[in-house]
């Protein structure tokens, strides 16, 4: 008695453990001992079992078996102390497993019939713990435990037991057979009644928790929907108890599998869930986000309702939650919203890319996957992609491509595919190694997926300079735009330097890098740069191109506006940056011969060394934004072919006229026997020397060989919508292939004639078309 009573004191507990009396106390539970000995020995164990160390001692010294036997004692105090001790021990999973082996469920269920509420309550609490295990739920069902639980719930006089009884029922519903039994006995309606009518938060919470678990079954969802459970759950969202809010949110999540439930929440409930996203409780925010994720999936109306309910701001704030579940669910809702363009624009205006940066760097694969999917959904326009890039989001996104998780890898590939929608982003992604990683993934049969293949192709198709260098082929759908450059062939795995870096390099003995750029720079260089531009070759090239243009005008009778008539007139054209500067410098060059003094010329000469880099790159200073070198001659080419060739209605004639035009600009027709005497190498070397760079704008080249002409033809053809491909061959060869209908061959059943592929001759007989599979074609390609 003394030990039993004093064991409630913590210091006494400690001393009793040190004295190692547990074995002696357990021995006093033997059947031959008197009831009063059982009472205080079990009281001592009940008090000692509160602490983990004592639990271990009781369990290891075989205390469970005599305690279970004492549950059938005629003395209520012995029963109470024994079940209390068992309840404490059952918190440990090893003890729960042993309770199943010792068949503890039947004597515990018998305690539910006790006339003492405390014994009934402790029995229900114990059942609430041990029914977390599947085997215990089966034992409960087999011993008619469900019937007893339902009877307790139906008895108003036992309302003090309803909280714990509902908790046990909620656990049992996870077992399919038990759930069917509860359904047959009308237990589901009883659960809904408790959730609707009770004013006790714990009862509401447990009832909602049971509804949530039951709602994972389609038949139960249908029944709950018919009973209008949604109204009850919306009311529970307004509870002051966080546990009830969480349980109601989880029940809504489960009910969302029912389409009727989603429709119900179109009009009410979503605004309450959004308010819960602002809760101080992380658990409440996570549950609310899960409910919203399920409600908005495949339901545009709910996604719109969430956005209109001021949900975007709350969701983006949830992305910084401490709980991974809340972050993943919030990202899912944002993804669902972004399917609608007006909502996507609203999300983008809330700085979503910065908010997604942390989830992209999460260690949780589910968060990584959902964040990557959110990027794929929201980065659909150039402005959003630029924001992601400026926020530093591309680096972690590319890193996710290396993930060992299949879903993360797939969604990251999807996001990279979306982000590679324009050339600057594609270039940056390639610089970060995305192309190399995707290439490695696509080699692996087990790791590749449709999105990784699509992302790889999208990167190359939006970074045509790299694609042409790596593959040596551009199709008719690969439209060359301003800023394209032909570096030459590179080996797989070799990095292609950006155009800016190549422009800043000193000239070398490597092959000239051909630049396509019909745009003028946007920043005008300082006066010294203008003068130097003409000195290093741009001014002279304009003068020579102007004379060529005049000659071309006389020969071909092209009609173009006064803006292209002469260098002076070209200056008046509404352009800016390098183009303007170059035009001005040409005028200045002419004027300097008449009136510019020697001092000014010497000053320009002194500044030459300092000004070279800014002149070539289009920068006034190294700190300003960089622009590629402009190419006024190519701009004129574009203008002329647009005016003269675009109006031609026959595609074949367009190709022939364009081929002759390109050949004329690149040195004219070259007979095969005189090909070796065509000194194009010296001309290119002079240009590189004059420009002090390996990068040569295509318009400056007046003596071009196969690959110069093929590139110019492709660039001009793309400007006027003539479909052609560009193919790189060996030994400096390159050619263009076009598809034309063979009028001599009729189509089947009145269909159009078949398409045949031709090579466009730009060298020997400019304008002639050579059938692809012919000896002439082989000779042209030098196979």
């Amino acid at each position: 008695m003394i030990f039993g009573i004093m064991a409630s004191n913590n210091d006494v507990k400690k001393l009793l453990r040190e004295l190692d009396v547990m074995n002696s106390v357990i021995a006093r539970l033997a059947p031959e001992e008197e009831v009063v000995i059982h009472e205080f020995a079990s009281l001592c164990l009940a008090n000692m079992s509160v602490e983990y160390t004592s639990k271990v001692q009781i369990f290891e010294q075989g205390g469970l078996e005599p305690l279970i036997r004492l549950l059938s004692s005629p003395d209520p105090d012995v029963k109470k102390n024994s079940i209390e001790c068992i309840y404490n021990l059952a918190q440990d999973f090893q003890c729960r497993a042993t309770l199943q082996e010792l068949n503890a469920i039947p004597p515990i269920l018998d305690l539910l019939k006790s006339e003492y509420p405390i014994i009934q309550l402790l029995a229900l609490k114990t059942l609430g713990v041990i029914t977390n295990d599947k085997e215990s739920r089966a034992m409960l069902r087999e011993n008619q435990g469900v019937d007893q639980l339902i009877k307790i719930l139906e008895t108003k006089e036992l309302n003090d037991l309803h909280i714990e009884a509902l908790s046990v029922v909620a656990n049992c519903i996870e077992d399919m057979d038990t759930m069917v039994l509860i359904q047959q006995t009308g237990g589901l309606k009883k659960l809904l009644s408790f959730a609707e009518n009770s004013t006790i938060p714990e009862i509401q919470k447990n009832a909602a928790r049971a509804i949530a678990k039951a709602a994972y079954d389609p038949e139960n969802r249908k029944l709950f929907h018919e009973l209008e459970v949604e109204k009850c759950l919306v009311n529970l969202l307004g509870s002051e108890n966080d546990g009830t809010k969480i349980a109601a949110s989880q029940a809504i999540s489960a009910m969302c599998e029912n389409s009727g439930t989603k429709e119900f929440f179109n009009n009410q409930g979503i605004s309450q869930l959004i308010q819960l996203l602002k809760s101080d409780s992380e658990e409440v925010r996570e549950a609310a986000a899960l409910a919203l994720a399920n409600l908005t999936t495949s339901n545009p109306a709910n996604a719109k309702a969430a956005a209109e309910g001021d949900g975007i701001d709350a969701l983006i704030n949830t992305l910084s939650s401490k709980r991974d579940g809340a972050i993943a669910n919030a990202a899912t809702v944002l993804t669902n919203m972004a399917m609608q363009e007006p909502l996507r624009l609203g999300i983008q205006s809330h700085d979503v890319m910065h908010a997604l940066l942390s989830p992209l760097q999460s260690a949780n694969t589910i968060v990584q996957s959902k964040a990557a999917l959110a990027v794929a959904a929201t980065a659909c326009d150039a402005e959003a992609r630029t924001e992601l890039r400026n926020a530093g989001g591309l680096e972690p996104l590319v890193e996710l491509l290396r993930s060992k998780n299949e879903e993360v890898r797939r969604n990251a590939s999807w996001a990279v595919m979306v982000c590679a929608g324009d050339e600057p982003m594609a270039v940056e992604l390639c610089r970060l190694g995305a192309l190399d990683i995707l290439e490695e993934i696509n080699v692996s049969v087990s790791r590749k997926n449709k999105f990784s293949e699509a992302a790889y192709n999208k990167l190359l198709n939006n970074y045509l300079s790299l694609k042409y260098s790596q593959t040596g082929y551009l199709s008719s759908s690969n439209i060359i735009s301003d800023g394209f450059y032909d570096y030459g062939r590179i080996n797989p795995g070799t990095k292609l330097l950006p155009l800016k870096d190549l422009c800043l390099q000193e000239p070398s003995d490597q092959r000239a890098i051909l630049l396509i750029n019909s745009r003028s720079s946007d920043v005008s260089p300082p006066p010294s740069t203008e003068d130097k531009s003409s000195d290093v070759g741009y001014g002279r090239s304009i003068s020579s191109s102007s004379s060529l243009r005049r000659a071309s005008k006389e020969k071909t009778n092209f009609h173009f506006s006064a803006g292209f008539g002469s260098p002076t007139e070209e200056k008046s054209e509404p352009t800016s940056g390098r183009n303007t500067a170059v035009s001005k410098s040409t005028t200045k060059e002419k004027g300097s011969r008449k009136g510019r003094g020697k001092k000014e010329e010497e000053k320009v000469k002194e500044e030459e060394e300092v000004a070279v880099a800014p002149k070539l790159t289009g920068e006034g200073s190294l700190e300003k934004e960089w622009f590629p070198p402009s190419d006024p001659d190519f701009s004129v080419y574009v203008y002329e072919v647009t005016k003269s060739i675009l109006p031609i209605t026959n595609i074949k004639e367009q190709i022939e006229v364009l081929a002759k035009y390109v050949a004329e600009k690149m040195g004219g027709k070259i007979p095969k026997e005189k090909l070796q005497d065509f000194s194009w190498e010296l001309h290119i070397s002079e240009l590189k020397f004059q420009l002090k760079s390996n990068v040569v704008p295509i318009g400056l080249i007046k003596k071009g060989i196969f690959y110069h002409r093929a590139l110019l033809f492709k660039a001009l053809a793309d400007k006027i919508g003539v479909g052609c491909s560009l193919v790189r061959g060996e030994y400096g060869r390159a050619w263009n292939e076009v598809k034309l209908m063979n009028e001599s061959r009729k189509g089947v059943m009145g269909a159009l004639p078949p398409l045949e592929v031709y090579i466009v001759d730009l060298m020997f007989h400019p304008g002639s078309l050579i059938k692809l599979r012919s000896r002439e074609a082989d000779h042209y390609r030098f196979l």
Side-chain angles (χ1 to χ4, degrees):
M1 288 174 67
I2 294 172
F3 274 148
I5 295 168
M6 291 185 65
S8 61
N9 180 279
N10 290 329
D11 293 330
V12 174
K13 286 191 184 85
K14 184 178 178 183
L15 285 169
L16 287 175
R17 281 199 306 273
E18 291 173 358
L19 292 169
D20 196 19
V21 300
M22 207 68 73
N23 199 33
S24 300
V25 176
I26 292 171
R28 302 286 74 78
L29 299 179
E32 59 270 16
E33 296 288 351
E34 294 185 20
V35 172
V36 69
I37 302 297
H38 288 167
E39 178 185 346
F40 289 99
S42 59
L43 177 62
C44 180
L45 292 177
N47 285 329
M48 293 290 289
S49 64
V50 173
E51 293 185 350
Y52 178 75
T53 309
S54 299
K55 287 180 191 177
V56 175
Q57 289 180 349
I58 296 170
F59 175 70
E60 290 180 347
Q61 294 178 25
L64 263 180
E65 187 172 2
L67 285 168
I68 292 171
R69 188 178 65 249
L70 290 179
L71 293 178
S72 304
S73 170
D75 186 84
D77 290 317
V78 175
K79 289 180 178 179
K80 182 261 179 188
N81 295 335
S82 299
I83 190 62
E84 185 175 0
C85 186
I86 291 172
Y87 170 69
N88 291 335
L89 293 173
Q91 308 299 321
D92 182 69
F93 74 95
Q94 285 182 312
C95 292
R96 290 201 296 272
T98 305
L99 284 171
Q100 294 163 19
E101 295 171 7
L102 296 172
N103 197 27
I105 298 286
I108 294 175
L109 286 173
D110 285 340
L111 296 182
L112 296 179
K113 303 171 185 175
S114 171
E115 58 184 286
Y116 298 97
I118 185 62
I119 294 176
Q120 292 174 308
L121 186 63
L122 285 168
L124 285 170
K125 281 189 171 185
T126 306
L127 290 172
V129 175
I130 63 178
T131 50
N132 284 310
D133 300 326
K134 184 177 180 181
E135 293 79 7
S136 295
R137 292 196 291 268
M139 290 178 67
L140 183 84
R141 184 184 70 253
E142 291 165 3
N143 287 277
Q144 288 75 47
V146 175
D147 294 337
Q148 294 190 51
L149 292 169
I150 297 298
K151 284 178 182 177
I152 290 173
L153 293 175
E154 290 174 344
T155 307
K156 291 184 179 180
E157 290 76 14
L158 299 178
N159 58 4
D160 55 329
L161 302 178
H162 287 171
I163 294 174
E164 300 303 333
L166 283 169
S167 180
V168 180
V169 170
N171 288 342
C172 291
I173 283 177
E174 293 184 26
D175 181 68
M176 184 58 67
D177 293 330
T178 308
M179 185 181 68
V180 171
L181 190 59
I182 293 173
Q183 190 180 31
Q184 291 172 349
T185 56
L188 296 182
K189 292 182 179 180
K190 195 66 184 174
L191 290 176
L192 184 56
S193 174
F194 275 111
E196 286 179 330
N197 303 323
S198 177
T199 56
I200 302 171
E202 285 297 315
I203 289 181
Q204 291 178 327
K205 179 186 79 173
N206 288 339
R209 194 162 67 90
I211 290 170
K213 291 182 178 180
Y216 285 105
D217 178 73
E219 290 299 319
N220 291 344
R221 283 197 299 272
K222 184 179 178 182
L223 175 62
F224 280 140
H225 181 61
E226 290 171 357
L227 296 172
E228 297 184 327
V229 70
E230 295 89 355
K231 291 181 180 179
C232 169
L233 295 175
V234 169
N235 291 332
L236 292 181
L237 291 177
S239 169
E240 294 182 1
N241 181 275
D242 284 347
T244 304
K245 294 175 184 174
I246 293 169
S249 299
Q250 291 171 342
I252 291 170
S253 301
M255 284 296 299
C256 282
E257 292 292 323
N258 184 291
S259 58
T261 297
K262 284 189 174 183
E263 292 174 9
F264 173 88
F265 282 99
N266 285 345
N267 303 314
Q268 55 182 308
I270 287 180
S271 58
Q272 288 94 321
L273 288 168
I274 290 169
Q275 288 303 312
L276 294 186
L277 289 178
K278 303 172 185 178
S279 169
D280 294 332
S281 167
E282 293 284 352
E283 292 85 353
V284 171
R285 294 172 68 187
E286 180 177 4
L290 175 61
L292 285 169
N294 289 344
L295 282 170
T296 55
T297 298
S298 303
N299 194 302
N302 282 348
K304 185 178 180 182
E308 291 173 348
D310 195 27
I312 295 176
D313 196 43
L315 288 163
I316 288 178
N317 288 336
T318 306
L319 291 176
S320 59
S321 171
K322 295 176 182 177
R323 296 180 71 89
D324 289 336
I327 298 170
N329 293 329
T332 300
V333 182
L334 291 170
T335 302
N336 294 338
M337 286 181 177
M339 297 297 104
Q340 302 174 58
E341 186 176 359
L343 304 188
R344 184 171 68 248
L345 296 175
I347 293 169
Q348 291 168 353
S349 67
H350 283 73
D351 204 16
V352 67
M353 296 306 177
H354 278 91
L356 286 170
L357 186 59
S358 178
L360 286 172
Q361 297 169 316
S362 170
N364 185 296
T365 54
I366 296 175
V367 174
Q368 292 172 350
S369 173
K370 300 302 182 185
L373 201 57
V375 170
T378 53
C380 295
D381 53 65
E383 187 177 344
R385 291 192 287 268
T386 303
E387 184 184 336
L388 177 67
R389 176 181 176 179
N390 294 340
L394 293 185
E395 290 87 345
L397 184 60
V398 170
E399 198 58 35
L400 291 183
L401 292 173
R402 302 181 190 274
S403 174
K404 295 180 181 179
N405 182 282
E406 184 179 354
E407 186 178 351
V408 172
R409 209 163 50 243
R410 183 179 68 246
N411 289 348
S413 299
W414 190 352
V416 167
M417 182 185 72
V418 173
C419 289
D422 52 65
E423 186 173 354
M425 289 291 288
V427 172
E428 180 66 12
L429 286 165
C430 289
R431 186 188 70 79
L432 294 171
L435 194 72
D436 299 332
I437 299 170
L438 287 167
E439 188 174 15
E440 182 185 331
I441 290 172
N442 292 335
V443 170
S444 169
V445 177
S446 60
R447 296 176 66 209
K448 73 176 181 180
N449 56 72
K450 296 293 184 184
F451 287 110
S452 66
E453 294 172 344
Y456 180 83
N457 293 329
K458 187 80 172 285
L459 279 172
L460 281 182
N461 288 333
N462 281 312
Y463 191 4
L464 295 182
S465 302
L466 178 61
K467 180 177 183 178
Y468 189 50
S469 292
Q470 277 196 355
T471 66
Y473 180 79
L474 294 181
S475 69
S476 57
S477 62
N478 296 141
I479 307 300
I480 290 179
S481 58
D482 294 324
F484 174 90
Y485 58 101
D486 176 13
Y487 181 84
R489 192 190 307 275
I490 62 172
N491 296 322
T494 306
K495 294 286 185 184
L496 179 64
L497 290 176
L499 180 60
K500 179 180 179 181
D501 295 352
L502 295 171
C503 284
L504 294 175
Q505 288 180 349
E506 291 295 321
S508 64
D509 58 354
Q510 77 172 62
R511 202 204 80 157
I513 299 160
L514 307 180
L515 172 65
I516 302 294
N517 186 24
S518 63
R519 292 179 303 194
S520 59
S521 302
D522 295 328
V523 178
S524 297
S528 61
T529 304
E530 294 172 2
D531 293 342
K532 184 67 181 85
S533 297
S534 62
D535 291 344
V536 298
Y538 282 115
R540 285 196 297 278
S541 71
I542 293 294
S543 301
S544 60
S545 69
S546 299
S547 61
L548 281 172
R549 269 176 262 137
R550 285 193 292 273
S552 173
K553 182 178 177 181
E554 292 168 7
K555 289 179 183 179
T556 60
N557 199 26
F558 283 131
H559 300 286
F560 45 85
S561 67
F564 289 94
S566 68
T568 308
E569 290 169 339
E570 197 168 312
K571 173 185 171 185
S572 65
E573 186 188 76
T575 58
S576 59
R578 282 192 59 90
N579 215 6
T580 306
V582 171
S583 302
K584 288 180 180 178
S585 68
T586 311
T587 311
K588 284 189 177 184
E589 188 178 21
K590 288 187 175 183
S592 67
R593 297 191 186 102
K594 297 178 181 178
R596 189 169 61 180
K598 290 183 179 180
K599 289 184 179 180
E600 187 178 349
E601 289 181 3
E602 289 172 5
K603 181 180 178 183
V604 171
K605 195 172 183 180
E606 288 171 1
E607 291 176 352
E608 184 176 311
E609 299 270 304
V610 180
V612 167
K615 295 160 213 149
L616 290 180
T617 61
E619 292 179 295
S621 68
L622 294 177
E623 294 178 358
K624 291 184 180 178
E625 186 179 356
W626 182 86
F627 294 96
S630 59
D631 189 353
D633 288 42
F634 180 67
S635 300
V636 172
Y637 296 169
V638 173
Y639 178 82
E640 290 178 351
V641 299
T642 303
K643 280 289 185 183
S644 60
I645 300 176
L646 182 59
I648 299 174
T649 55
N650 185 282
I651 296 177
K652 184 178 179 183
E653 188 180 345
Q654 277 186 319
I655 293 169
E656 291 170 348
V657 174
L658 181 60
K660 291 176 182 177
Y661 179 86
V662 168
E664 180 190 345
K665 298 302 179 184
M666 286 284 182
K669 173 183 176 181
I670 311 297
K672 294 179 185 178
E673 61 274 9
K674 293 186 179 181
L675 186 60
Q676 301 300 323
D677 301 328
F678 186 56
S679 57
W680 61 274
E681 296 97 333
L682 179 60
H683 171 61
I684 300 297
S685 298
E686 287 175 348
L687 287 175
K688 287 166 63 177
F689 177 75
Q690 291 168 3
L691 298 172
K692 293 183 170 52
S693 173
N694 286 322
V695 178
V696 178
I698 193 79
L700 296 184
I701 300 175
K702 307 306 173 189
K703 298 179 77 173
I705 197 70
F706 292 92
Y707 71 90
H708 302 118
R709 298 183 182 208
L711 177 60
L712 179 59
F713 184 90
K714 168 71 172 166
L716 291 175
D718 287 347
K719 293 289 185 183
I720 61 172
V722 174
C724 76
S725 59
L726 176 62
V727 187
R728 191 195 306 280
E730 302 291 340
Y731 309 109
R733 297 286 174 117
W735 60 89
N736 304 104
E737 295 176 0
V738 295
K739 290 182 179 179
L740 295 171
M741 284 188 291
N742 189 339
E743 301 292 347
S744 63
R745 294 175 58 188
K746 294 183 179 180
V748 181
M749 299 292 291
L752 291 172
L755 290 173
E756 291 191 352
V757 182
Y758 297 87
I759 289 177
V760 183
D761 189 342
L762 301 171
M763 289 289 293
F764 308 133
H765 304 285
S768 63
L769 300 177
I770 310 166
K771 234 179 192 179
L772 181 62
R773 305 194 183 283
S774 65
R775 293 179 63 185
E776 291 83 2
D778 291 345
H779 183 77
Y780 190 86
R781 294 181 296 177
F782 201 55
L783 296 178

